């Protein structure tokens, strides 16, 4: 379970997250929508400790992410992260991209980590790209590679930071399909997304962020059907 | 004007074994100065990118001096300069120190550019997988930097080989020094330096060729 309490985050004088309270249960799929600059992505970075916070607390399975004595490297293996700019490692083949972290972070043997990598590449539909370098992959394939790389750590949570925003329109579908697949398998997911169709169809809950505040959260039917907040209604009217 | 100089190549040919032996000295000291230069250059680059204020200032001064003053003067510093303070290095050490100092300065800037060319997001992606900072640097960042700086590094090695000819000024018998010593014994100065220039040319071409072969093996992406 991910528990976020009274979270405040500043970039210098800029107040980007203004007291976020949010719990995400095991097995839940949460989509976070909202305009650019509303703090959605920053929240993900705060959850896995890539960004420090100024106030409040984030707990993952009871462990406080920003506490001084927390072993962040260990905690991060529980949370896979997929970025907007897929960030594949260009100097490693697809297989090495996925096999590296299980071996050097989790200490698995070379053979075992390659086996895991093969399985995860198959999982995301890249079995035929095992020895290919990222430069020879399309954006959609690189993003699926990034998903496989995160899954190879056997995470309990997956954080998606606008995973399809940087993709050409015709490549969005294959990545969303992979994310759907994970949701069906019961993965706990927090997806910052601009894909309203995905948010509506796949999520258990949808949160709308507005200027650093979680304006509204609820089941997709509520958010997309009859939003309680005027801001949410206005945002959705604009993106439709 | 009448051209009445007769070329005599024989004395040079006879001394070719000595010249080739001296060219090995050139290669050895150049490569050694590169290895030292890479080590120091890496430290200088890291200090300039985010070291403590004073160390970063020293690193900047090093880089500025190495890149913006004549290499010959840098060599003088390690001979006459240190000599004025009563510190007398052997010719070999003077040349090694001078070349290493210069290499480190140039390489530091190459490395800094290389680090800046790798997007920050690579570090984030590595850390998000649970890698420590050290693992992220050694497995993800530095291999990419290495590729970016590989060809500039080859250039610097070529430059070090050519720059090492300055060693004859401080009396060190690498290729240029040996050539000078032999040339003035026989007064076949033009012939000696012509042959030596050719040896330098071949050495540089060999370095470039090996570097290219190696790059095909090293970089498969």
């Amino acid at each position: 379970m991910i528990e976020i309490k009274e979270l405040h985050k500043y970039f210098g004088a800029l107040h980007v997250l203004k007291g976020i309270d949010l719990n995400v249960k095991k097995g839940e799929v949460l989509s976070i929508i909202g305009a650019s600059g509303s703090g959605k992505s920053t929240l993900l970075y705060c959850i896995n400790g890539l960004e420090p916070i100024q106030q409040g607390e984030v707990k993952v399975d009871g462990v406080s992410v920003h506490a001084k004595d927390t072993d962040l490297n260990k905690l991060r293996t529980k949370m896979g992260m997929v970025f907007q700019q897929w960030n594949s490692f260009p100097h490693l083949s697809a297989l090495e991209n996925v096999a590296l972290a299980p071996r050097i972070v989790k200490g698995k043997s070379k053979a075992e980590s390659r086996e895991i990598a093969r399985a995860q590449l198959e999982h995301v539909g890249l079995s035929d790209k095992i020895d290919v370098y990222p430069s020879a992959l399309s954006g959609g394939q690189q993003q699926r590679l990034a998903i496989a790389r995160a899954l190879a750590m056997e995470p309990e949570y997956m954080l998606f930071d606008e995973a399809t925003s940087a993709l050409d329109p015709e490549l969005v579908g294959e990545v969303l399909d992979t994310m759907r697949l994970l949701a069906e398998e019961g993965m706990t997911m927090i997806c910052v997304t601009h894909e309203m169709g995905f948010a509506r169809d796949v999520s258990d809950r949808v949160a709308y962020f507005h200027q650093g505040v979680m304006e509204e959260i609820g089941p997709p039917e509520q958010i997309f059907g009859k939003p309680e907040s005027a801001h949410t209604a206005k945002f959705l009217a604009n993106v439709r | 004007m009448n051209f009445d100089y007769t070329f005599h190549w024989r004395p040079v040919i006879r001394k070719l074994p000595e010249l080739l032996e001296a060219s090995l000295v050139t290669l050895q000291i150049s490569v050694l100065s590169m290895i030292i230069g890479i080590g120091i250059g890496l430290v200088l680059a890291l200090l300039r990118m985010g070291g403590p204020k004073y160390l970063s200032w020293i690193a900047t001064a090093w880089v500025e001096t190495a890149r913006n003053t004549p290499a010959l003067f840098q060599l003088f510093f390690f001979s006459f300069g240190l000599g004025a303070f009563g510190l007398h290095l052997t010719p070999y050490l003077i040349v090694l120190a001078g070349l290493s100092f210069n290499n480190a300065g140039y390489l530091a800037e190459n490395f800094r550019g290389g680090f800046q060319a790798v997007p920050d997001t690579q570090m984030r992606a590595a850390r998000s997988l649970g890698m420590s900072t050290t693992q992220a640097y050694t497995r993800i960042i530095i291999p990419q930097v290495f590729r970016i700086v590989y060809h500039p590094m080859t250039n610097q090695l070529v430059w070090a080989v050519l720059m090492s000819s300055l060693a004859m000024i401080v009396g060190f018998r690498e290729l240029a020094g040996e050539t000078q010593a032999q040339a003035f014994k026989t007064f076949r100065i033009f012939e000696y330096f012509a042959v030596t220039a050719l040896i330098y040319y071949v050495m540089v071409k060999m370095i470039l060729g090996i570097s290219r072969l190696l790059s095909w093996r090293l970089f498969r992406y």
Side-chain angles (χ1 to χ4, degrees), chain A:
Chain A
M1 176 145 151
I2 294 177
E3 299 159 276
I4 301 165
K5 271 196 214 100
E6 262 305 294
L7 169 60
H8 287 265
K9 166 75 187 169
Y10 295 81
F11 285 120
L14 190 66
H15 200 175
V16 267
L17 291 173
K18 302 168 183 167
I20 305 295
D21 283 289
L22 174 66
N23 290 338
V24 181
K25 289 195 295 285
K26 277 272 167 68
E28 186 178 9
V29 177
L30 171 72
S31 288
I32 303 179
I33 59 172
S36 297
S38 58
K40 317 179 295 288
S41 297
T42 306
L43 180 69
L44 290 190
Y45 288 117
C46 293
I47 291 175
N48 77 353
L50 283 171
E51 285 289 348
I53 63 173
Q54 278 71 43
Q55 207 182 306
E57 190 171 35
V58 180
K59 278 186 179 174
V60 174
D61 293 342
V63 179
S64 177
V65 175
H66 297 89
K68 273 209 171 72
D69 53 354
T70 299
D71 183 350
L72 257 184
N73 295 333
K74 195 175 166 205
L75 193 61
R76 284 191 184 121
T77 63
K78 280 189 171 185
M79 297 177 271
M81 179 137 189
V82 176
F83 300 84
Q84 182 177 351
Q85 297 294 342
W86 35 85
N87 297 336
S88 36
F89 302 137
H91 60 302
L92 301 176
S93 71
L95 188 77
E96 291 162 344
N97 256 278
V98 184
L100 180 64
R103 187 158 58 82
I104 69 170
V105 176
K106 284 194 153 178
K108 295 197 187 289
S109 74
K110 201 165 182 174
E112 199 182 348
S113 54
R114 290 174 83 88
E115 213 36 64
I116 293 168
R118 256 191 213 99
Q120 287 303 345
L121 285 171
E122 194 186 337
H123 194 176
V124 300
L126 289 175
S127 320
D128 55 335
K129 303 290 182 191
I130 277 178
D131 294 318
V132 171
Y133 283 83
S135 59
L137 295 175
S138 72
Q141 288 168 336
Q142 290 199 52
Q143 193 58 295
R144 285 187 284 146
L145 173 61
I147 294 173
R149 185 173 70 183
L151 290 175
M153 297 302 284
E154 296 161 327
E156 291 170 42
Y157 306 93
M158 285 288 285
L159 313 175
F160 290 88
D161 181 18
E162 301 191 23
T164 57
S165 295
L167 294 174
D168 292 341
E170 77 272 19
L171 301 175
V172 168
E174 59 186 86
V175 173
L176 289 182
D177 286 346
T178 308
M179 291 168 66
R180 277 202 180 86
L181 175 70
L182 290 185
E184 281 163 20
E185 290 168 358
M187 176 62 76
T188 313
M189 295 162 63
I190 303 181
C191 311
V192 168
T193 185
H194 289 296
E195 295 291 332
M196 295 305 147
F198 175 86
R200 185 174 34 214
D201 300 345
V202 182
S203 320
D204 299 306
R205 283 191 299 165
V206 177
Y208 171 66
F209 272 52
H210 181 73
Q211 295 175 357
V213 175
M214 191 166 71
E215 188 81 13
E216 185 169 357
I217 184 166
E221 306 81 58
Q222 176 198 324
I223 303 292
F224 293 101
K226 35 180 192 307
E228 286 163 5
S229 149
H231 287 304
T232 315
K234 188 159 178 284
F235 173 78
L236 287 170
N238 285 338
V239 293
R240 261 172 200 157

Side-chain angles (χ1 to χ4, degrees), chain B residues 75-86:
Chain B
L75 218 52
F76 281 165
F77 171 79
F78 288 99
S79 54
F80 311 126
L82 292 184
F85 294 100

Side-chain angles (χ1 to χ4, degrees), chain B residues 181-199:
Chain B
Q182 297 293 348
F184 283 99
K185 264 192 236 161
T186 57
F187 288 100
R188 290 290 142 199
I189 295 167
F190 176 84
E191 289 88 335
Y192 264 106
F193 278 96
V195 168
T196 297
L198 188 66
I199 298 176

Side-chain angles (χ1 to χ4, degrees), chain B residues 40-180:
Chain B
I40 299 175
L42 205 53
V43 173
L44 292 179
L46 292 173
L47 285 177
R48 286 197 79 186
M49 287 187 303
K53 198 168 136 205
Y54 291 104
L55 290 176
S56 153
W57 190 84
I58 290 170
T60 303
W62 183 317
V63 170
E64 291 289 317
T65 311
R67 286 163 56 94
N68 303 309
T69 62
L72 179 61
F73 293 8
Q74 295 165 27
L75 218 52
F76 281 165
F77 171 79
F78 288 99
S79 54
F80 311 126
L82 292 184
F85 294 100
L87 188 61
H88 299 283
L89 304 177
T90 64
Y92 178 81
L93 279 180
I94 289 169
V95 176
L96 185 61
L99 294 182
S100 303
F101 175 82
N102 187 278
N103 284 339
Y106 275 92
L107 290 169
E109 280 302 84
N110 288 337
F111 291 153
R112 200 162 68 105
F115 275 107
Q116 280 165 354
V118 177
D120 296 342
T121 49
Q122 287 283 309
M123 178 56 102
R124 293 205 139 186
R127 297 304 305 273
S128 81
L129 290 166
M131 290 184 209
S132 65
T133 315
T134 313
Q135 284 175 328
Y137 266 109
T138 55
R139 301 302 189 128
I140 305 300
I141 308 294
I142 289 175
Q144 293 182 56
V145 173
F146 179 65
R147 191 204 170 145
I148 296 166
V149 302
Y150 181 80
H151 291 295
M153 241 159 53
T154 306
N155 286 344
Q156 185 63 31
L157 175 57
V158 167
W159 168 234
V161 167
L162 299 179
M163 180 170 56
S164 69
S165 64
L166 294 173
M168 72 177 177
I169 307 285
V170 294
F172 181 59
R173 297 276 280 258
E174 39 63 71
L175 182 53
E178 184 67 27
T179 305
Q180 177 177 253

